[in-house]
Amino acid sequence: MADQHRYVLTATWTGNRGTGTSGYRDYDRAVSVEVAGKPLLLGSADKPFRGDPERWNPEDLLLAALSQCHLLSYLHACVVRGVVVTDYIDEASATMVTKGNGGAFSEAVLRPRVRVAETAMVEPATAAHDDAHEWCFIANSVNFAVRIEPVVEAG
């Protein structure tokens, strides 16, 4: 039997400049996202879509969710394999292709650089990325390729 987990948030458009959506250039793309007990997240559209480049956009958030999900799944996989991770940083990227008023992501690439405690842990730490990719809820939920290009070092 599968467990179900429910997530609830409130997204509020805060960009009415007084005339609502009377025209494409007449409203701001400002959004606030709230989850009970968590800091307020300020969002917008990406700059090419008339958004505020200082705010998170949905595309940033999707890539952040993929990267963070892999990271957390990876740390668990390393514990299971007896690997001690001492440092992890991911330089992730994603590509989105637009057509007319729509579009889609074509791929995301996660590039985790991992440091482990001992040289003998490098091989199982590298293999743990396969487990993490299999276990990542977000990667399992998207309809585009998510590639993992890890580098694992000891030290």
Side-chain angles (χ1 to χ4, degrees), residues 5 7-8 10 16 22 28 40 46 57-59 64-65 71 89-90 93-94 96 98 101 120 126 135 137 149-150:
H5 303 270
Y7 300 90
V8 178
T10 301
N16 185 345
S22 58
D28 195 321
L40 182 69
D46 195 8
N57 62 59
E59 297 81 12
L71 182 157
I89 185 168
D90 183 13
S93 64
M96 183 179 73
T98 58
N101 287 328
T126 301
W135 299 342
F137 304 133
E149 298 177 355

Side-chain angles (χ1 to χ4, degrees), residues 130-146:
D130 293 333
D131 296 337
H133 189 58
E134 181 182 325
W135 299 342
C136 176
F137 304 133
I138 307 302
N140 287 323
S141 299
V142 299
N143 66 352
F144 55 88
V146 179

Side-chain angles (χ1 to χ4, degrees), residues 19-137:
T19 61
T21 58
S22 58
Y24 183 71
R25 300 183 191 302
D26 297 335
Y27 63 96
D28 195 321
R29 276 61 175 175
V31 175
S32 67
V33 180
E34 298 176 83
V35 174
K38 296 182 182 179
L40 182 69
L41 177 70
L42 300 178
S44 183
D46 195 8
K47 185 177 180 180
F49 308 107
R50 303 193 55 78
D52 182 344
E54 294 183 9
R55 290 181 173 220
W56 286 89
N57 62 59
E59 297 81 12
D60 293 332
L61 293 168
L62 179 58
L63 182 57
L66 283 165
S67 178
Q68 184 178 350
C69 186
H70 184 83
L71 182 157
L72 295 170
S73 298
Y74 178 76
L75 296 177
H76 176 69
C78 284
V79 168
V80 169
R81 289 174 176 265
V83 173
V84 178
V85 174
T86 59
D87 195 34
Y88 183 115
I89 185 168
D90 183 13
E91 298 290 336
S93 64
T95 303
M96 183 179 73
V97 179
T98 58
K99 285 193 246 178
N101 287 328
F105 279 85
S106 58
E107 77 168 349
V109 182
L110 308 182
R111 295 177 185 88
R113 292 188 326 242
V114 179
R115 185 167 307 281
V116 296
E118 299 173 13
T119 303
M121 295 177 176
V122 170
E123 187 176 319
T126 301
H129 282 288
D130 293 333
D131 296 337
H133 189 58
E134 181 182 325
W135 299 342
C136 176
F137 304 133

